Each structure stands twice: as C-alpha cells, then as structure tokens.
Amino acid sequence: MTAPTSERGIPPAVILVEPQLAENIGTAARAMLNCGLTDLRLVNPRDPFPSERALAASVGALEIMPPVRIFDSTQAAVADLQMVYATTARERKMVKPILTPRAVGEKSVEAGRAGRKVGVLFGKERTGLEKDDVALADAVVTVPLNPDFTSLNLAQAVLLIGYEWYQAGDSTPARVLETHGAEPATKEELYGFFAHFEKALDECGFLRNEEARPNMIRNLRNMWGRAELTEQEIRTLHGVVKELTTLREKKRP
C-alpha cells in the first residue's frame, strides 16, 4: 500500500526562481501534486501571478494546494529551510556535493521524518539557476541523462525530483498480481492439473517420443507454473481438457 505523505515527514518545498511563463508554473504545480508536494514558492516570476493561464495549466492543482508564496529573492525564499538543493545540468565550478534525484529523494525523506525542512531550487526555463542562487544551496542535483541532450522543461525537472521523493517513502510492492478475490491455486491443485493434462497428451499421441517426453513435460510444467494460476483458472483448464478429450472420442469411428 502506498504510504501517505505523513509517513514521509515534512515534504520538501519547490522553489521556482524567476520562472518565465505562467503556464510553466501551472504545469510544475501539477507535477508537484502528482507526487504529494504542495509547498510551491516563486521568486520574481516574470508573468503576473496568480493568473488564469497558470491555473488552467495546473489542471486544478493550484486550487487544491495551499496558496503559493512569492518572494523578492532566492535568499528570502529559502530562509526558513535547513537544507537546500539546487538543480542544474551545467558545470558551475563550485566545490559542492553533486547528488542524483534518487539520493535527494532519500535524503529529503530522512530529513522530513526528523522534522527538518528541505527545499529544491529550479531555475529559469532557458538558462537555469544563476551562480549566486547555486551558492545558497548545500548541494547540487544533476539528473543522469543522455549526455548529448540533457535539456528538461521545468515541469519535467520538478516531476523527477518529486517522484524520487515519493518513491523513497513508498511501500508499494514492485509487482502485484490482482486476482479480484480469487485464491491462488495450491500446489496439489496444480499438480492434479498436470496429471490430467499430461494424460490427455499421452492419449492423443503428443508425447509419443519417449526420448523427448521428460523434457517436454518439464517445459510444460514450467510454463503452467509461471502462469500463477488461481483455483478458478485450474477448474477452467480441467474443463477445457475434458471437453477436448470428449470431442476427440466422439469423432472416433
């Protein structure tokens, strides 16, 4: 089951530094809410905010989230935070730790559970963060992407960071077989089907090659074993084999 946001502690803030388009603010907000992030801060947005364009692009996210806070400087926007990460794809020639989004997600969950407030800086769509903004951060975040093309739009960058934070505190199993209430077949039921199926194959002559027969049976059993059959599916397969056998007997002269 997916862990609620409270189990991850305090969610990180998303700080957009001088975003250029209202639509990008809206799509970034949409990406944030997809991942359970709601603390959106803007530093000197170029387009007026709030606006209908941003609201429409957010597909309702800005209406659900707490009011967006607007600041005159990056320093003011991060003043209440205890850890700040700066996203950048460019070499800034600064001595700072460089982390992947996954590492930032894990560290942000760890900090949030300890009651510490974290923020992630995102720069202008065209040029990214200025060096003075990066200097305010404790570490830099760089996304491992195709080195020949690392360009991301603002919402994509926000979604990557938000997703890794959400996944770091998530307990959803990597794989689930939804059986809609049907019980998995027991081994006894599965082996019973093997016997029925293989008997029918012997009778129709499919397993007539004695040398190949053991390997063919093993392959068939492995195939059925991988299918993760339910009790109902086993009953259905018994019925299929029985019907085919009956039909073959009726056709005999």
Side-chain angles (χ1 to χ4, degrees):
M1 181 180 292
T2 300
T5 298
S6 60
E7 292 185 13
R8 297 174 176 82
I10 303 172
V14 170
I15 304 103
L16 307 184
V17 181
E18 299 183 5
Q20 297 171 299
L21 297 174
E23 289 85 354
N24 290 342
I25 297 173
T27 54
R30 179 182 183 181
M32 286 176 60
L33 199 56
N34 285 154
C35 302
L37 302 178
T38 59
D39 185 357
L40 175 57
R41 309 178 185 193
L42 307 179
V43 178
N44 294 324
R46 189 184 70 180
D47 285 352
F49 187 88
S51 71
E52 287 300 321
R53 289 158 53 202
L55 189 63
S58 78
V59 197
L62 285 170
E63 297 176 275
I64 299 171
M65 294 163 60
V68 176
R69 286 182 280 175
I70 302 177
F71 298 85
D72 293 330
S73 68
T74 304
Q75 185 169 330
V78 302
D80 65 320
L81 305 177
Q82 291 154 307
M83 177 65 69
V84 176
Y85 298 102
T87 59
T88 179
R90 292 188 292 164
E91 172 58 54
R92 300 293 183 170
K93 298 190 184 299
M94 294 184 188
V95 180
K96 284 186 182 293
I98 301 175
L99 284 72
T100 63
R102 184 157 301 170
V104 169
E106 293 169 354
K107 287 182 175 296
S108 296
V109 167
E110 181 182 346
R113 286 173 174 166
R116 297 192 294 273
K117 299 175 72 175
V118 174
V120 185
L121 297 171
F122 297 85
K124 299 176 187 177
E125 294 89 322
R126 187 173 60 85
T127 59
L129 292 167
E130 299 293 337
K131 288 185 178 180
D132 288 342
D133 296 319
V134 177
L136 296 172
D138 300 280
V140 167
V141 189
T142 298
V143 184
L145 293 172
N146 174 11
D148 295 325
F149 194 78
T150 58
S151 176
L152 294 171
N153 66 38
L154 191 55
Q156 287 175 318
V158 171
L159 183 62
L160 279 171
I161 299 298
Y163 177 81
E164 292 295 352
W165 171 78
Y166 198 86
Q167 290 301 302
D170 188 49
S171 58
T172 302
R175 181 181 182 276
V176 176
L177 176 65
E178 181 54 72
T179 62
H180 304 287
E183 289 295 320
T186 65
K187 294 303 179 186
E188 181 180 10
E189 291 166 334
L190 186 62
Y191 299 156
F193 170 68
F194 288 166
H196 186 192
F197 183 56
E198 290 155 17
K199 180 175 181 293
L201 292 178
D202 276 326
E203 290 175 353
C204 75
F206 182 79
L207 299 174
R208 59 185 174 275
N209 187 322
E210 288 299 322
E211 183 178 347
R213 187 178 187 279
N215 193 50
M216 293 172 70
I217 287 177
R218 281 192 293 269
N219 288 341
L220 289 168
R221 291 185 177 188
N222 284 331
M223 178 184 72
W224 291 119
R226 290 196 306 271
E228 300 181 77
L229 298 167
T230 66
E231 293 175 344
Q232 179 57 54
E233 289 169 335
I234 288 288
R235 288 194 291 271
T236 300
L237 286 170
H238 274 299
V240 169
V241 174
K242 181 180 179 181
E243 191 66 24
L244 289 173
T245 303
T246 302
L247 182 63
R248 187 176 67 250
E249 290 175 351
K250 286 181 179 179
K251 289 184 175 181
R252 287 176 179 172

